[in-house]
Amino acid sequence: MNGNNSLISILKKAFDSSKGVTFINSASDSEKLTYCEVYHKSLYTLYHLQAKGMSVGDELVFQVEDNKDFIVLFWACLLGRITPVPLSIGSQEDHKLKVFKVWQKLNNPYLIIDKINLCRLASFAVESNYDDLFQDIQQKTLLIDEFKDDTEPGKEETDINGGDLAYIQFSSGSTGEPKGVMLSHNNLITNISDISQRSAITEADRSLSWMPLTHDMGLICFHLTSLIAEIDQFVLPTSLFVRHPLLWIEKANEYRSTILYSPNFGYQYFLSALQYSHHWDLSAIRLIYNGAEPISPDLYNEFFNTLAQYGLKKVAMFPGYGLAEASVAVSLPEKAGALYTFSLNRDSLQIGETVQDIAADDKRSIK
């Protein structure tokens, strides 16, 4: 057994702390689970998975909207050495198509979903000539609506090694012929350790995110990194952010969050909804990760200049680059501070070529 080098050992290490995950359900409703409670709820959820016939090495395709259900299911899978395969739920056809495409690439998959989304998937199957495949999927479908808490705990697998597969991550852009990245416990622990170190996270930090947990920035950079750092984390449903974008910063103010996350789209979306002054104190925020999309310096300037009146420091900007094949993070700044933009000739960026600065005098600070 090499359980000291697995994500399960990271979760158990946080048991002595009162820290955990707060699930924000609305402006006035939230629920916190300590990391110890996450473990125990996941163990009882594992019972349901095993009772349905799932065992070591099987894959579980996630079509799960609720963040609490998602995190408990994710850890239930890891506890039973079942492989989570998180996929986004979307109204667009390509999201539904991806479920069928991914299913055909797995060895022994099961599906976890609720009744409403199963009906939507069934309708799509009829319209897209996937009737036969859907019948196979339906035979191995678990309805999360039917899970109950009053069960016995599942059987935790103790023989987990760092090199064992933790979960399969399908990159957000792969819909036609999706390609899954097989991430081991070692892959993930190495990446989240590096993220935590580069971000200089301490026990005083508190993270908050609206990013979907099906996205590597939401699951790895936010959830798992917060766990290894043993800090409180607050998760806002993406759908709630879309309906009420100001709630993101309102909750950062309420919880005195120090680390936030958002791609470029989120800053623009938030600013478009900001119409009058608020009584926010954002001085606690020391890092705001920006990644997953091309970063606009002009938009970032607008965002920080607009929120400066609430105490948001401009040095909190923390842009990064990553990709699914590397777990998530590849490049992060050494520390928060003044950032600069450079204008380069895009035709001189191939391997072995000399990078050409087409605006040598245009090196400018993002102010």
Side-chain angles (χ1 to χ4, degrees):
M1 174 179 174
N2 191 19
N4 291 329
N5 195 29
S6 73
L7 290 171
I8 299 301
S9 67
I10 301 297
L11 178 61
K12 291 181 176 180
K13 184 174 178 291
F15 279 8
D16 294 335
S17 169
S18 62
K19 306 293 177 66
V21 188
T22 296
F23 301 95
I24 300 168
N25 302 314
S26 69
S28 58
D29 178 42
S30 64
E31 177 185 3
K32 179 177 178 177
L33 292 179
T34 66
Y35 291 125
C36 186
E37 290 170 333
V38 169
Y39 168 80
H40 287 292
K41 279 190 173 291
S42 298
L43 199 56
Y44 279 82
T45 296
L46 176 59
Y47 170 85
H48 287 286
L49 303 183
Q50 293 171 335
K52 293 292 185 179
M54 297 199 71
S55 58
V56 174
D58 292 342
E59 302 108 342
L60 184 60
V61 177
F62 282 34
Q63 287 286 274
V64 178
E65 291 184 285
D66 183 83
N67 283 328
K68 178 183 171 184
D69 288 341
F70 185 104
I71 284 181
V72 170
L73 276 164
F74 179 81
W75 287 101
C77 287
L78 296 189
L79 286 167
R81 291 186 64 192
I82 294 166
T83 305
V85 185
L87 297 180
S88 298
I89 297 178
S91 57
Q92 298 179 357
E93 289 191 352
D94 59 351
H95 289 96
K96 298 180 181 68
L97 175 61
K98 191 170 185 177
V99 174
F100 291 93
K101 293 285 189 180
V102 166
W103 187 272
Q104 293 173 302
K105 291 181 175 291
L106 301 175
N107 295 318
N108 191 32
Y110 287 73
L111 173 69
I112 182 74
I113 196 169
D114 60 37
K115 293 178 182 177
I116 293 176
N117 282 299
L118 182 62
C119 289
R120 292 171 179 165
L121 204 61
S123 298
F124 173 81
V126 172
E127 296 166 0
S128 306
N129 296 318
Y130 278 100
D131 308 61
D132 292 341
L133 183 55
F134 180 74
Q135 294 304 316
D136 293 338
I137 293 175
Q138 201 167 21
Q139 296 300 314
K140 298 172 71 177
T141 292
L142 287 63
L143 292 175
I144 198 168
D145 318 63
E146 299 177 352
F147 282 26
K148 299 178 181 179
D149 289 334
D150 56 344
T151 62
E152 58 185 275
K155 181 182 181 299
E156 178 181 351
E157 293 292 326
T158 57
D159 188 19
I160 301 176
N161 296 289
D164 289 341
L165 178 64
Y167 86 99
I168 302 177
Q169 177 172 230
F170 283 87
S171 60
S172 56
S174 54
T175 53
E177 288 300 328
K179 297 180 176 62
V181 180
M182 301 175 70
L183 297 175
S184 70
H185 289 261
N186 280 341
N187 291 149
L188 292 164
I189 291 173
T190 298
N191 205 233
I192 62 179
S193 298
D194 288 347
I195 294 170
S196 179
Q197 181 179 18
R198 179 56 65 94
S199 306
I201 298 177
T202 71
E203 62 181 11
D205 283 307
R206 300 157 70 88
S207 63
L208 182 147
S209 173
W210 59 262
M211 291 290 290
L213 294 170
T214 52
H215 193 283
D216 49 12
M217 190 173 178
L219 181 54
I220 305 174
C221 191
F222 164 65
H223 174 60
L224 293 180
T225 300
S226 298
L227 170 63
I228 201 171
E230 297 183 33
I231 63 172
D232 274 319
Q233 51 183 289
F234 303 83
V235 57
L236 187 78
T238 305
S239 58
L240 184 57
F241 170 75
V242 170
R243 295 194 305 273
H244 305 289
L246 297 188
L247 198 57
W248 175 41
I249 296 301
E250 287 173 4
K251 289 300 178 181
N253 167 75
E254 177 182 343
Y255 292 119
R256 301 294 292 164
S257 302
T258 62
I259 305 175
L260 275 61
Y261 309 74
S262 178
N264 205 71
F265 147 79
Y267 306 101
Q268 181 63 65
Y269 194 66
F270 168 84
L271 289 172
S272 68
L274 187 62
Q275 299 177 346
Y276 52 87
S277 296
H278 297 264
H279 299 288
W280 293 331
D281 178 5
L282 306 181
S283 60
I285 299 173
R286 68 177 190 85
L287 292 180
I288 304 183
Y289 289 88
N290 189 354
E293 294 177 358
I295 297 171
S296 166
D298 292 335
L299 177 58
Y300 231 142
N301 275 330
E302 181 184 359
F303 180 80
F304 278 90
N305 290 338
T306 300
L307 295 186
Q309 61 183 306
Y310 305 111
L312 181 63
K313 309 177 205 56
K314 294 178 182 178
V315 292
M317 186 189 319
F318 205 64
Y321 170 75
L323 67 163
E325 289 77 4
S327 296
V328 57
V330 172
S331 177
L332 290 170
E334 289 190 0
K335 61 181 180 179
L339 299 181
Y340 299 91
T341 63
F342 298 84
S343 297
L344 305 176
N345 184 343
R346 67 173 63 236
D347 295 326
S348 68
L349 299 179
Q350 300 300 316
I351 295 175
E353 294 183 342
T354 300
V355 175
Q356 298 177 11
D357 186 346
I358 60 175
D361 297 329
D362 194 33
K363 175 183 175 183
R364 55 193 177 91
S365 174
I366 297 179
K367 299 180 179 178

